[in-house]
Each structure stands twice: as structure tokens, then as C-alpha cells.
Amino acid sequence: MIGFILKRILWAIPVLWIVATITFAMMHLVPGGPFDREKKLPPEIKANIEAKFHLDKPLPVQYALYLKGLLRGDLGPSYKYLGRTVNDVIADTLPVSMQLGFLALLVGLVVGLSAGVASAVWARTALDKTSMFLATAGISIPNFVLGALLIQLFSHQFKLLPPALWEDARHAILPAAALGLAPAAYIARLMRASILEVMDKDYVRTARAKGLGFWAVLWRHVLINAISPVVTILGPLTAALVTGSFVIEFIFSVPGMGQFFITAVTNRDYPLIMGVTLVYAALIVSANLFVDVLYLFIDPRVQME
Amino acid sequence: MKKTILVALLLLGFLVFAIGKEKAKAPPAEATFRMHLASEPPTLDWSLATDNVSIRVIENLMAGLAEYDKDLRPKPAIAEHWDVSPDGRRYLFYLREDVYWTDGVPLKAQDFEYAWKRLLNPETAAEYAYFLFDIVNAAEYNAGEMRDPAQVGVKALDDHLLQVDLKKQAVYFPAITTFTATFPQREDLIKAYGERWTAVEHFVTLGPFRLEEWRHEYRLTLRANEHYYEGRPPLDRLIFYVVSEETTALTLYETGDLDRVTLPPIAIPQYRGRSDYRHAPFLRGYYYGFNVAKPPFDDVRLRQAFSLAVDRTELPRILKGGEIPATSWVPEGMFAHNPKIGLGFDPDRARRLLTEAGYPEGTGLPEITLSFNTDPTNRLIAENIQAQWKRNLGVSVQLDNMEWKVYLRQLKEDTPQIFRLGWGADYPDPDNFLNLFTGASGNNNTHWGNARYDQLIADAASEADAARRIVLYDEAQQILTEQDVPIIPLFFAAQNLLISPAVKGLEINAMDLLYLKKVRKAPL
């Protein structure tokens, strides 16, 4: 077990290195640099700035310098937020995105699993049809539309919840719902299909034939086997949710990391682009590792290599 | 089964972690002014700040030698008064003796000398170093051609007297000293804390407010400076929330969480009639430039025809923000603004010029492309002008849009036939607007140059007599917008704001500078 985890962690190193290299190459291929401005800088001033950030050196040297810093855990200075390092920026914003992301994940799991189970148990009833209609709608409606609807409803109409900002727990409800309902819809559909499939299996029929009650079979034999697909998507889903959503953070003014996936690129803030990409990659790798470990518990057929 | 419970417990743990972190602070009964910033301030180091968000915060934390009055004329601030030598090249600034930093240290003229030399030091890599390039040896020191900072023409003669030597007369120089990049700095603190000197725990300022809290990407709180040299400001507290989405900011204004908000263009018609609505000019021009180095726009008649074929009054109708149509380039609200200059709408003359240029009804013209950076407003304008050229000249123009930084690179490396750009005032003087199109200007993307124009701009910069300056600027503007027409001025922008009725004394100026030291508000 420990060996398995260690091996997976070691594998993460080349993965992150490849991600770093590809990102580095791609962002330098895009035309336009961090200090291109509407008001063009006099050449001597631009030269001073480029010297400060080593942008005057050839790309391979810049790449080597970056990797050297990375080995020390130093993600470099931000070009946009002067005097702050990328480590600072991520330390300030990632925890916020994680709070929001885990809340959204919770919404997704609680709403999604219960709707999925209910739909499967009462398949082809009005409840199932309503729930699956809502799930289809939930997947199709973009989260910014949902966010705007929630603000209109709960802030303007009922004046129950704040429309934006990040002061206390009440401020987290609307963004978490806006972010979590689409995964909820997805999980509900996945769970329903999976349960219906498992219910047709021989071992379920055998269990029923032995005289076990419906709910006991559902709980002990169906759910534990049907949950595997949901666990599979949990890894990438968690990584996506906890690194923040640009749109949701934007419309609810949540001080998270999601914004940088867009603004770091439009600003050509190279170290910040690298930083958020690597954090995202590292989270995907760890979330997938976590899911694989979870499999070992859920499905005894899964073997450790 | 146990595992399911384990998973459930884990999730519950996340929830507790998520909610437990944030605690609401009950607002005490204080006069608090709350507004939004469009982004996180990139820096509060005023040697490095170049964007209007950072400057908005800094201008309430600090003070400089001079500040603007409500008509944007420089008036004394830390400098009680100043003397100019007869040749206009030496300034002596006499500093107040009752100015203290927030850590109790008295301000000295040496703090200005240090700050200005730090701004110019190539190692600081300050973008706005060029603001001081009128000073003797400043540009040379910044470019690394001259290594000795003692040769730079700024010197503290004693603790309260600052001497500045200019290369040539620059009548706008006092306006430069209102600018945040020229504010004084503390050598001891910057030496001690390096780049971290702007962190809340180290940050020392001397303006009407001091920094109390800076939660990155979210909120800055400023508190009244009890020892401010003009006396403590009436407001107890300023809170700046970082709200990037304009409609979110508007919602927060409506729910009473903000006291001032910039209106998104789409909302302007809806709010125009309300008593809390404010409209003011803004010193920002929007123009289309030609690449005059390449056919077909190397022909001035064609450029004139394209300018004459645009009815600028259509623009405020589609943009709805109260923009001011422009045919000349010095904006309304600035000295030497002259709306009579420029090519107004005259489709008949435009068509005649098109024929004279050899393209009757547009026949024979190569494919023409109008380029702009991707943005809904830019597109709206481009589509309108495209339709106007079709209607008034019979010419079909292609539209091409690019992401902002790609676009900037394109302007530099392969300037499009027609391109869109804007310009916002750094200081409210026509020099700042007209210098843009001199041959030596790095921001002149038109490839146009005119020796007479360059001479007029240089002469006007050192002309102390206002009436004679206007004559010089009028002629320069005629060359720019009537005779040679490297650009088509389109409109000057406007500010559209909502300000809470509880806020008193908030003056709006055309530079969008926000001095909050005189503002009052009933406690929350």
C-alpha cells in the first residue's frame, strides 16, 4: 500500500515536468509579452524591466532558471503583482478556491447521489422523469446563467442571501450552489444509470432470491458496486472545483485562484501562468491518486500493482 | 459499509473546514466609504504603480509636492510654494515643515530626492521613470549611460528645500509633481524591507489615510490618518472591494454594500434619470489611426475622405454613455480644447476626394481592413463605422479583431491599414495628448511624421504665455486632423457613476482622480 502510493508520487514528478515544459513552450509561442502596453514603454525602460525579470536572456536559459527555482519550490515573481511572488499569490487565493470547491463538491455529491438513487429506485415514475429533466437542464445551463438566476432570486427577490463578496458562511451559499449544481446533475444521471445496470446483475437477483429485503439489497449489494463510476470522475472533478472557477469567482467576487487561469494569460504573467497550471496539474495527480486508493476499499477486485 | 461512513465523514470535515474559516465582522458605527476596484492593485509602491487601480489607492494614502484643484490645475500640497527661474529651467520647491510619516518621522526634502532617483534607477525598472525625463541627466541615468546619481538634476538643498534642474523649459512640470510616481519615499524602510516594504506591517505613508488591512484579491481597508498635515479627514474608514464584474458591483450598490459604482454601459439608460446618477467628461480619446507608410493610405486625400465620411454623432447614440464626438484631438475639459478644428461630417466632399485619389465610388481600391482588439464596444464602433463608410463612400471594409497583447504586437511589427487605439491623460495638459503623434513618440503607430508639427509641440511645451500656447496647439491640431490626417479622432469618453446620497463632498474630475480626504458620510 505504502509502496504503491510512493511509486505513484514518484511518477508525478515526470508528469509535472512535462506539464511545465509544454506550458513554458506554449506561453512563449503566443505573440505579445508581459510589458506590451497601450502606452508603449521607452526602449531603455523596457530593457530595464526585462533585465530585472531575466527576460533579456535566451529562452533556454530562462527555462533552466525556471526549473532551478521550481526545484527549490520557488515559482518566481509575478510580473503583474509587483513585489509578490507566485507562491504568495497562490497561498492567498488557493485556500479560498478550495473552500468554495469543497462546498460545491458537497452540493454535487449530496444532491447528485440522492437524486440519482431516488430516480433509479423509482425509475420511470414522475419523480424519475422530473429529476432527470432537471438533471439534463442542470448540465445544459452554463453556471454563469445559473449564478445570475440565483442572484436574481435569492438576493433581489427574496433578499435572503448576499449577491457577492466573501465575508461569512452566508456568502458561500450562492456561489457553491451555482458551482455545484452542474456536477450534481451529472452525478445524478451517472448514478441512476449505474444503479439500474447493477440491479440487473445475477448477484443482485441471487440476493433477492435468498429473501433479502429490497432496501438491504440496495444498500449492501447495489450501491457499493454502482458507485464506482462516480468515484472515477471524483478525481478530476475535485481538482477542477478546488482550483476555482473563473466565471463563478468573477460574478460573485470571490477572491479565489480561478481568475488567474484567464487573467494570467491575458496579462502574459508567465510565472503566474506556470504556477496556476502546475498547481492544477499537481491537484489532478493527487486527486487521481486519492481516487485510486479509494478504489482499493470499494472494489476488492482492484489490485495494487 | 465502514468505507461509506468514512467517505461521508471526510466530506463533513470539508464542510466544517469550509465554513469555519470566515467570521463576519460587525461593522462599528464609523463613517465608512465603500467602493469597488476593478482589479487587485498590482502594487502600492508608487515608484512602480502605473495602473489606475493602484493609483486610486495610493492617491488617498499619500501626497506629493503639488495636487490638482477641482479644475485640474496644480496647487501646492507638501510644497508650500515654488519658484521658477527666469529661463524656466530651475524649480525650487519650499516644503511644509509640519508633515510627518505615519511612524512619526518628519518628512524631509531628501525623501523626494531619494524617491525620484529610485524611480530613475535602472534597477528599480520603473515604467513611469520617463515622467522625470525632463530633468537634467535623468534619461541618461535611467538608460545606464551615466552611472552617478549625483549628476541627476534633483537635490535637497536642506531638509525643506528641493531644487530641480530641467533640461529645457517644461511649463507642465508642476503638473508632473502631482503624479503618484513622484511622491516621496523612505530610504531607510525600503532598504530594510526590500520589495516587502508595502506590506501592511511595514507600510509607512503620510497622506489623509493609512493602510490598515490588505486582503489580496479581495479588500483593502484604509483608516483616517490622525496626524495628516491638513487635519484628520472626516471619514473614519475607506473600504475598497475588488469586484471585477461591473454588474456585480452594481448589484452591490443596489443592496447598499457600496457607496460609489461605475455604471456598465448597458445599464446607463436605465439609471440616467436617477438623482444619484453622475455624468462627467473623462480625459480619454478614442481614435482610428492609418498606416501612412503603406498604400493606399499613403495618399492623404484618401485619409481625408475616410475621416469626412464618418458622422461622429452616431457614436454616442450607439454607445449610450454620453460620449463626446470628436473631430480634433485635445479633449474637452483640457486646456486648448478646440471643437472647431478637424474634419466634420461631409459625405459629398469625401466622395470628391475619393474620386480625386483615383478611386471613384471606391472602385480600384485594394481590400481594406480595419483592425481592433477584441472587445464588445470596439466591435460595436467598428461595425458602425464600417456601415458608414459603405453608405457614404461606397467602400467595403473588412473587420479584423485580435486579443489585446497580440494586437499590440501587430501594431508594432506590421501595422494594419486602419487600427483603433485610445489615449488617457497622464497629466491634464495638451502636451500629453499631442506629443503622442510626434515623430519621436514610441506610441505613434501611424508611421506619420511632420517636422512642422514636431516643432510646434516642442515650442508649446516651453511657452509660458497661455494665449500663445493656444495658437501653437491650434496649428498643430489643424495639421494633425485636417491637413495630414494620420488619425481619425472619434470621441472622448465620459464617466457614468452612481454615488450614494449619504456621501457628501465627492468631487468628480475629468482625470477620474478620487481624492477622498474632503468627503463626508453619516456613520454606518
Side-chain angles (χ1 to χ4, degrees):
Chain A
M1 176 81 166
I2 306 279
F4 167 77
I5 294 174
L6 270 179
K7 204 168 138 195
R8 288 288 301 268
I9 291 175
L10 282 177
W11 259 110
I13 295 170
V15 169
L16 291 178
W17 173 68
I18 291 169
V19 169
T21 308
I22 294 175
T23 313
F24 188 89
M26 274 172 46
M27 71 189 186
H28 282 280
L29 277 175
V30 178
F35 303 102
D36 288 338
R37 297 266 196 270
E38 176 174 273
K39 300 191 176 180
K40 207 175 292 171
L41 297 171
E44 59 272 36
I45 288 178
K46 200 163 178 187
N48 289 336
I49 296 170
E50 290 183 339
K52 178 175 170 180
F53 294 118
H54 306 297
L55 287 167
D56 53 344
K57 298 201 170 60
L59 270 188
V61 178
Q62 292 184 38
Y63 175 69
L65 282 172
Y66 186 80
L67 285 188
K68 208 175 125 193
L70 201 57
L71 285 178
R72 282 180 280 117
D74 176 8
L75 296 168
S78 165
Y79 296 165
K80 173 79 179 174
Y81 305 103
L82 299 168
R84 286 169 81 198
T85 62
V86 172
N87 298 55
D88 292 337
V89 174
I90 289 173
D92 284 332
T93 54
L94 181 60
V96 174
S97 284
M98 286 178 91
Q99 289 177 28
L100 179 57
F102 280 124
L103 272 181
L105 192 67
L106 195 72
V107 170
L109 284 172
V110 171
V111 176
L113 289 181
S114 25
V117 172
S119 270
V121 170
W122 289 285
R124 282 170 283 277
T125 63
L127 174 88
D128 176 31
K129 282 176 185 151
T130 319
S131 139
M132 282 307 111
F133 171 77
L134 286 177
T136 311
I139 294 171
S140 327
I141 295 175
N143 55 13
F144 57 89
V145 175
L146 190 61
L149 277 174
L150 291 174
I151 292 173
Q152 181 61 29
L153 215 60
F154 291 97
S155 301
H156 284 293
Q157 294 282 316
F158 304 135
K159 303 199 186 310
L160 282 175
L161 291 167
L165 301 182
W166 193 247
E167 301 280 318
D168 53 45
R170 286 171 61 240
H171 287 80
I173 297 174
L174 289 186
L179 194 56
L181 285 177
Y186 188 64
I187 290 172
R189 290 179 61 89
L190 205 61
M191 197 62 196
R192 176 184 181 272
S194 179
I195 291 175
L196 289 180
E197 193 192 316
V198 173
M199 283 225 224
D200 276 346
K201 295 270 191 226
D202 290 343
Y203 57 83
V204 174
R205 219 170 307 145
T206 312
R208 290 284 285 150
K210 282 196 299 184
L212 222 58
F214 175 79
W215 293 104
V217 173
L218 182 76
W219 186 246
R220 261 188 243 159
H221 296 277
V222 177
L223 285 189
I224 197 78
N225 287 302
I227 205 155
S228 293
V230 175
V231 173
T232 311
I233 63 152
L234 216 52
L237 183 67
T238 309
L241 287 178
V242 300
T243 46
S245 149
F246 170 71
V247 177
I248 293 300
E249 289 177 5
F250 194 62
I251 59 177
F252 288 99
S253 268
V254 176
M257 202 180 86
Q259 54 175 312
F260 298 120
F261 289 100
I262 307 288
T263 57
V265 178
T266 52
N267 292 327
R268 304 288 191 275
D269 192 340
Y270 296 144
L272 193 53
I273 298 174
M274 297 293 291
V276 294
T277 312
L278 284 174
V279 167
Y280 188 50
L283 276 167
I284 288 197
V285 170
S286 1
N288 279 333
L289 174 60
F290 178 73
V291 165
D292 288 349
V293 174
L294 210 58
Y295 268 139
L296 296 175
F297 289 98
I298 294 173
D299 191 343
R301 289 170 304 180
V302 175
Q303 297 289 313
M304 276 183 283
E305 290 171 59
Chain B
M1 178 68 73
K2 265 190 220 141
K3 289 114 200 179
T4 331
I5 294 169
L6 184 80
V7 173
L9 273 176
L10 260 170
L11 290 171
L12 198 69
F14 293 148
L15 176 70
V16 173
F17 157 76
I19 294 186
K21 289 281 272 201
E22 298 288 329
K23 280 279 169 289
K25 251 191 283 176
E30 289 185 308
T32 305
F33 180 81
R34 300 151 306 165
M35 60 174 279
H36 70 115
L37 302 173
S39 72
E40 157 84 4
T43 175
L44 291 185
D45 180 342
W46 45 92
S47 290
L48 300 176
T50 58
D51 62 289
N52 49 18
V53 174
S54 304
I55 287 170
R56 166 132 301 164
V57 180
I58 294 166
E59 68 201 2
N60 288 295
L61 288 169
M62 276 302 296
L65 290 173
E67 65 186 27
Y68 288 120
D69 66 11
K70 67 177 176 21
D71 300 317
L72 294 176
R73 281 177 310 231
K75 64 168 187 175
I78 291 179
E80 268 175 326
H81 63 100
W82 53 84
D83 293 338
V84 194
S85 64
D87 66 356
R89 289 176 47 190
R90 172 165 287 180
Y91 279 80
L92 286 172
F93 291 95
Y94 297 88
L95 272 48
R96 298 173 66 121
E97 299 189 8
D98 56 351
V99 183
Y100 292 89
W101 294 92
T102 45
D103 61 350
V105 173
L107 168 93
K108 292 181 176 154
Q110 286 82 352
D111 298 336
F112 279 98
E113 183 183 337
Y114 169 72
W116 291 19
K117 287 179 177 170
R118 177 170 181 262
L119 182 72
L120 291 167
N121 188 332
E123 282 171 30
T124 310
E127 292 185 32
Y128 274 180
Y130 65 84
F131 269 88
L132 295 180
F133 279 6
D134 286 320
I135 295 176
V136 168
N137 280 330
E140 290 77 4
Y141 176 51
N142 184 250
E145 292 158 14
M146 197 275 303
R147 304 247 171 227
D148 179 14
Q151 306 285 319
V152 177
V154 53
K155 194 167 173 23
L157 297 183
D158 64 41
D159 284 357
H160 298 100
L161 184 57
L162 186 74
Q163 173 183 295
V164 180
D165 288 308
L166 304 184
K167 268 183 235 176
K168 55 179 173 44
Q169 189 174 21
V171 292
Y172 50 77
F173 193 75
I176 301 257
T177 69
T178 65
F179 199 65
T180 49
T182 69
F183 289 176
Q185 284 179 335
R186 284 276 294 279
E187 182 170 9
D188 52 338
L189 299 176
I190 294 174
K191 287 260 154 70
Y193 302 117
E195 284 192 324
R196 304 265 166 187
W197 75 278
T198 54
V200 175
E201 61 272 26
H202 308 310
F203 204 36
V204 169
T205 53
L206 52 69
F209 298 91
R210 61 184 169 78
L211 187 64
E212 183 178 68
E213 175 211 43
W214 185 0
R215 242 189 92 190
H216 289 288
E217 278 79 32
Y218 184 60
R219 178 177 65 198
L220 291 98
T221 308
L222 278 63
R223 191 158 283 284
N225 176 6
E226 302 288 339
H227 308 292
Y228 178 53
Y229 64 85
E230 283 182 15
R232 181 197 194 279
L235 287 173
D236 296 312
R237 208 162 50 143
L238 308 179
I239 301 181
F240 297 104
Y241 288 104
V242 176
V243 180
S244 314
E245 168 57 37
E246 285 177 318
T247 47
T248 303
L250 182 56
T251 305
L252 287 169
Y253 177 84
E254 291 286 15
T255 53
D257 293 305
L258 294 177
D259 297 308
R260 174 197 184 273
V261 71
T262 320
L263 272 178
I266 189 174
I268 294 167
Q270 193 188 334
Y271 287 88
R272 187 170 276 148
R274 278 177 34 166
S275 62
D276 53 349
Y277 171 76
R278 296 275 185 290
H279 175 85
F282 185 35
L283 299 183
R284 184 172 176 87
Y286 188 107
Y287 69 94
Y288 281 169
F290 295 106
N291 181 350
V292 309
K294 273 201 300 200
F297 291 108
D298 53 345
D299 187 335
V300 64
R301 292 168 298 188
L302 197 60
R303 301 200 296 267
Q304 287 167 334
F306 272 66
S307 184
L308 286 162
V310 177
D311 179 4
R312 276 84 157 173
T313 60
E314 288 190 16
L315 297 173
R317 285 208 292 276
I318 59 165
L319 298 177
K320 300 185 167 66
E323 292 79 7
I324 302 150
T327 55
S328 55
W329 185 235
V330 174
E332 185 173 303
M334 193 184 262
F335 175 77
H337 167 68
N338 188 344
K340 294 195 190 78
I341 293 175
L343 299 176
F345 181 50
D346 187 346
D348 294 331
R349 199 179 147 210
R351 278 193 294 271
R352 277 201 306 279
L353 281 162
L354 189 67
T355 309
E356 276 174 40
Y359 311 107
E361 303 292 312
T363 48
L365 263 179
E367 185 173 286
I368 291 172
T369 305
L370 162 61
S371 301
F372 54 95
N373 58 298
T374 311
D375 173 88
T377 307
N378 290 342
R379 172 159 291 280
L380 201 61
I381 295 165
E383 283 171 352
N384 174 275
I385 306 273
Q386 180 188 41
Q388 291 205 44
W389 281 333
K390 180 78 195 161
R391 190 165 67 231
N392 301 325
L393 287 177
V395 175
S396 298
V397 170
Q398 306 298 314
L399 303 185
D400 183 19
N401 61 301
M402 282 164 253
E403 190 260 357
W404 179 229
K405 298 260 178 181
V406 177
Y407 181 69
L408 289 175
R409 196 48 71 100
Q410 178 86 19
L411 285 179
K412 193 158 82 176
E413 287 169 359
D414 181 19
T415 315
Q417 292 168 311
I418 309 175
F419 58 90
R420 126 41 269 155
L421 267 182
W423 186 261
D426 299 306
Y427 47 94
D429 190 278
D431 180 72
N432 186 240
F433 261 68
L434 293 172
N435 215 326
L436 182 60
F437 297 108
T438 55
S441 161
N443 286 298
N444 180 358
N445 292 293
T446 62
H447 304 276
W448 172 76
N450 180 313
R452 174 70 188 152
Y453 178 86
D454 293 0
Q455 189 59 47
L456 286 164
I457 302 306
D459 290 349
S462 50
E463 176 58 69
D465 182 83
R468 281 207 294 271
R469 263 190 112 199
I470 288 183
V471 173
L472 296 171
Y473 283 136
D474 276 356
E475 190 189 337
Q477 287 212 79
Q478 275 154 3
I479 294 174
L480 183 70
T481 62
E482 292 175 12
Q483 181 195 314
D484 284 5
V485 199
I487 62 161
I488 307 177
L490 290 173
F491 62 87
F492 305 122
Q495 305 176 66
N496 295 283
L497 307 165
L498 297 177
I499 294 170
S500 156
V503 174
K504 306 286 177 216
L506 185 61
E507 283 167 0
I508 302 171
N509 61 53
M511 287 275 284
D512 191 24
L513 295 169
L514 197 66
Y515 296 128
L516 293 167
K517 63 184 180 187
K518 299 254 169 65
V519 172
R520 296 176 175 277
K521 196 190 159 202
L524 268 181

